[in-house]
Amino acid sequence: MESSEAIRPEKMGPMVIKETWNTPGSIVSWERSENIYICRGECGGIVFIFLSDEMFRMKVFRDRVPDLTTTAAVLVESCIPHLFPVEETEEQLIFTTSAITLFLEKKTFIIRVENVQGKVIMQQNLTSWNPRGANHAEYDMQPDSHFYGLGEKSSFLDKRGEHYTNWNTDVFAPHLPEIEALYESIPLLIHMHDELSYGLFLDNSGRSEFDMRSHGVAFTIGCATGALDIYFINGPEMKDVVKRYTSLTGRIALPPKWAIGYHQSRYSYMNQQEVLQLARTFREKRIPCDVIYLDIHYMDEYRVFTFDPVNFPEPAKMMAELLELGVRIVPIVDPGVKKDPNYKVYKEGVLDKHFCRRLEGDIFLGEVWPGISVFPDFSDSRTSEWWGDLHKYYTDLGIQGIWNDMNEPAVFNDTKTMDLDVMHFNNGRPVTHEEYHNLYGMMMSKATYEGLAEHLQGERPFVLTRAGYAGIQRYAAVWTGDNRSFWEHMAMAIPMVLNMGLSGLAFSGPDIGGFAHHTSAQLLVRWTQMGVFFPYCRNHSSIGTMRQEPWSFGEEVEGILREFIGLRYRWMPYLYNLFHEAEQTGMPVIRPLVLEYPRDPHVTNLCDQFLLGESVLIAPIYRPDTDHRSVYLPEGQWIDYWDGTVNEGGRHILAAAPLHIMPMYIKAGSFIAEGPLKQYAMEETGELVIVHLYGAKAEVGFNAAFTLYEDDGHSFGYRRGRYSELAVKAVGDEASIKLSWSYLLRDYEPHRDVLRFALCYPFFTIAAVSGLSQISMEQLEDGREGWVQKGNKGGIIVQVGDAPEGGEFMISAEKG
Ligand code: GLC
């Protein structure tokens, strides 16, 4: 006999359901309450909150009372509602700030934003949702629309014609042009059209989609659960958008200097002897290095917060020797905690209810490296504190940096992650994993960062993460996960990291040399040449692949890598300045040309070259057996870093690039601060600074200014004012240059007696320097004041005492 099971609906074949999408209809009422505008439609509505003249939030609601909570991406202090005048006409509600006007059509809920000149910046035509809770909004797209941002996405720089999903995903070897979801989700889209840029940030930690492909004259933003909670961020320049977006979601914390040195990793350095030998080899070979990573094999059967008793029997002794060599350790810590009742972390976590559970109470179990594992619920501050505190285990050993991996969270199952019905306590407002997913990794890194900060007592922590959500930049650097040793992946790393920078992730980079597959001598050279100018600089490779430490391919390769890694260390003052700028303003360390030259049509999708700060143009070689490449130089004059020749911008040039050269150009009229070559960032070899000034032709005017920021490089003292700012200025005409400097602040005393200025003025023959005599190179090295001729025409080094009150000199130049 059959039961009722025989007539289960599924057995009746597929049901055809016509999908209905609801819209809010027309506005039936609106009200202002505590500077929040609630506009109700026939069905649901939209809340508008102005956060400044340039930024407002629009959140769609379907219930009677709108829910105004945000995710942890948004800084509470940036979310204060401001009052702006609103005018009501028959057809519209019109909100006006000093920068924008927002028109809300009463009949249709169409939203249009105009600038003060009446130019349309953004138009949202449709807001809708389906009965299953998915949301959707549609925006105008112009013939000249270009799209940027979206964090860690593959493919080219300009995202026009692309479709992306935000759902943190661990896919092995995932860097393919068509992949839609990687490890990080930053739902920020920057839209540039008509010489205007603005940003749309969707604050939703569930699955979301951005489609710039399917609708011809429109692009869409959608989310599968929760609400459409969108922030409009005004430009007009892309830089303004980045600045404002990072004021909303936070900026990077200035890293300790050692964290911006060169890092060496491998899955895995298998034992204590290997790690020590590696560190000694770096020092013997005089290849600078700050960090060695410990991948999963350092642990006792992959139990986090342990060392393997056989392969790493004396971690404290290992750390002591590494400390002498100036090498730091960054161990990996994954979220999966091995299910083992004899393991302290597991036992404590179960007893104190720290692991993610289903609503019914059973702990979610998933398989990762340690076998069956459980996962801390970082949405609960109590658990985050517990987790953070566990890091005392590492800090007691002198460890100041942690590598968070597999924190999407990755689980070895069909969905590759935690089941969607697992619950997150969310500090008393429980949500399903489906709604919370993209926040998991970020909250792990937050707990880690805060735990380290607590135990490091004033030292700056370093956290590296694979997964993250908007705002992750406040806690961690991001690497782009498991790429492969393919030339294509090297090339793709450029737009990926550039867009990450535009999305607030100023501190990021790929595995240099490639993680999976086998690198080659040439690939390692070319990738390292490029990688030393990326914000995050780590060579990492997978188990079973060719070794790719800098000496793995013989002396020629080793020599080239030594030079380029050394250059990163020599440019540390310039680089550190850029990190400081990123902390202050959100500006990325490396930049697509379109950020600096938004009106130049040649650069809207240019992503095989990039800028380090504003002044250095880097043009990597990303194909094998290639010794020339085309380089686009934007407006201005660009001085070839290698031979000092001057190139007029606004055109393409053909650059020669034998294996030991990667084309690099310095913008005429800019300063680069260089320091001594150190073997590790905090090596005590003094803080001599050489301020290089690259001249510009007088007719384009050289009126250059630069401020060098310096601090102790490791503590939080700078947040209490313990830093110095040296302002340098050069003003000149065709016959002379006046160079002056002064300390705007000197609450940190750099360890040096002299300052050096190195001038590269290929336009002039230098004749004399006021008040200083010409000296020899030896005298210069001995610390004497004076000047020496260097290289060709226009090159001199001037050395002066580093007096707190600053000073100035004149250079007389013969027009050459
Ligand atoms: C993941 C990481 C990789 C790491 C490996 C082993 O694949 O992305 O960097 O080496 O796990 O921990």
Side-chain angles (χ1 to χ4, degrees), residues 507-579:
F507 194 8
S508 51
D511 283 341
I512 293 173
F515 174 68
H517 195 59
H518 305 285
T519 202
S520 67
Q522 263 196 50
L523 180 60
L524 185 62
V525 167
R526 294 310 199 180
W527 205 324
T528 308
Q529 288 174 335
M530 170 178 96
V532 298
F533 298 106
F534 272 34
Y536 175 63
C537 177
R538 179 181 74 158
N539 170 320
H540 180 48
S541 55
S542 183
I543 202 160
T545 61
M546 289 284 291
R547 300 297 295 215
Q548 58 185 46
E549 289 78 17
W551 46 85
S552 304
F553 292 94
E555 276 180 24
E556 189 198 356
V557 169
E558 183 184 319
I560 299 174
L561 300 193
R562 178 184 295 108
E563 277 306 306
F564 274 84
I565 296 171
L567 188 52
R568 182 175 178 94
Y569 279 79
R570 286 198 279 118
W571 277 18
M572 190 63 89
Y574 178 68
L575 204 59
Y576 194 59
N577 239 57
L578 290 173
F579 274 88

Side-chain angles (χ1 to χ4, degrees), residues 65 148 234 331 338 630 736 744:
V65 185
Y148 307 98
N234 195 32
K338 188 176 176 65
S630 144
S736 67
L744 305 176

